[in-house]
Amino acid sequence: MLEKGMLLPDFKMENQNGDVITNKDLFGKKTVLYFYPRDNTPTCTTQACDFKDNLDVLNDLNAQVYGVSGDSKVKHTNFINKHNLKFDLLVDEGYAYSEQLGIYRMKKSFGKESMGIVRTTIILDEETRVMHIFDGVKVKSQMDDIKAVL
């Protein structure tokens, strides 16, 4: 399990364009790394558009944004194009990284229990050390909380 103060474990994931992104690409800026269940679902779309609408403010706070889900490059590209997103979405194939971080786990949705990504946002410093973890994110209030941490 990831905890405040820890360095982000190494990862290697492709973005929507097939470019390989690693934790080394995050150095030098604060990073908002948010994990979400699926592209083009209502709550995930609201969350992504909230990041899009606040991207200039986050950039002014020296922060970059990456979204992570198990969806494919093609689904990520469609999601980005449909909602004019201006940040990368990373493919966590088979949920390997989410599971390593303890984010892919049993959850309850609409009264049913199933395995999946629990909506989580991790704020990292310029050296990829965890500044804060928002577990079970409430999308409507997350941006104010993120800005306060940054």
Side-chain angles (χ1 to χ4, degrees), residues 45-142:
T45 298
T46 298
Q47 184 178 29
C49 289
D50 200 15
F51 278 112
K52 175 187 73 172
D53 294 343
N54 286 277
L55 194 58
D56 288 340
V57 173
L58 296 172
N59 290 163
D60 288 346
L61 293 168
N62 194 38
Q64 58 192 341
V65 174
Y66 289 90
V68 181
S69 82
D71 285 330
S72 68
K73 291 180 285 190
V74 170
K75 286 184 178 181
H76 281 345
T77 298
N78 291 339
F79 190 42
I80 287 168
N81 291 338
K82 183 175 182 179
H83 300 287
N84 197 29
L85 304 179
K86 302 292 185 195
F87 52 88
D88 284 344
L89 299 178
L90 305 181
V91 178
D92 185 12
E93 193 169 345
Y95 304 102
Y97 195 65
S98 299
E99 192 168 12
Q100 178 185 346
L101 299 182
I103 294 168
Y104 183 83
R105 59 184 189 255
M106 189 62 69
K107 65 180 188 171
K108 190 178 258 189
S109 181
F110 301 108
K112 289 184 169 185
E113 283 191 347
S114 63
M115 291 296 289
I117 288 180
V118 173
R119 195 177 307 280
T120 304
T121 300
I122 301 167
I123 310 295
L124 305 167
D125 70 12
E126 296 85 350
E127 297 176 354
T128 73
R129 192 168 302 280
V130 176
M131 295 172 60
H132 197 86
I133 301 170
F134 297 101
D135 187 38
V137 168
K138 303 293 183 228
V139 171
K140 290 183 180 182
S141 63
Q142 79 162 350

Side-chain angles (χ1 to χ4, degrees), residues 20-40:
V20 175
I21 306 296
T22 71
N23 54 317
K24 292 179 177 93
D25 293 307
L26 308 184
F27 277 87
K29 282 189 166 188
K30 293 176 185 168
T31 302
V32 178
L33 190 63
Y34 80 97
F35 292 78
Y36 65 100
R38 296 187 60 133
D39 293 336
N40 285 310

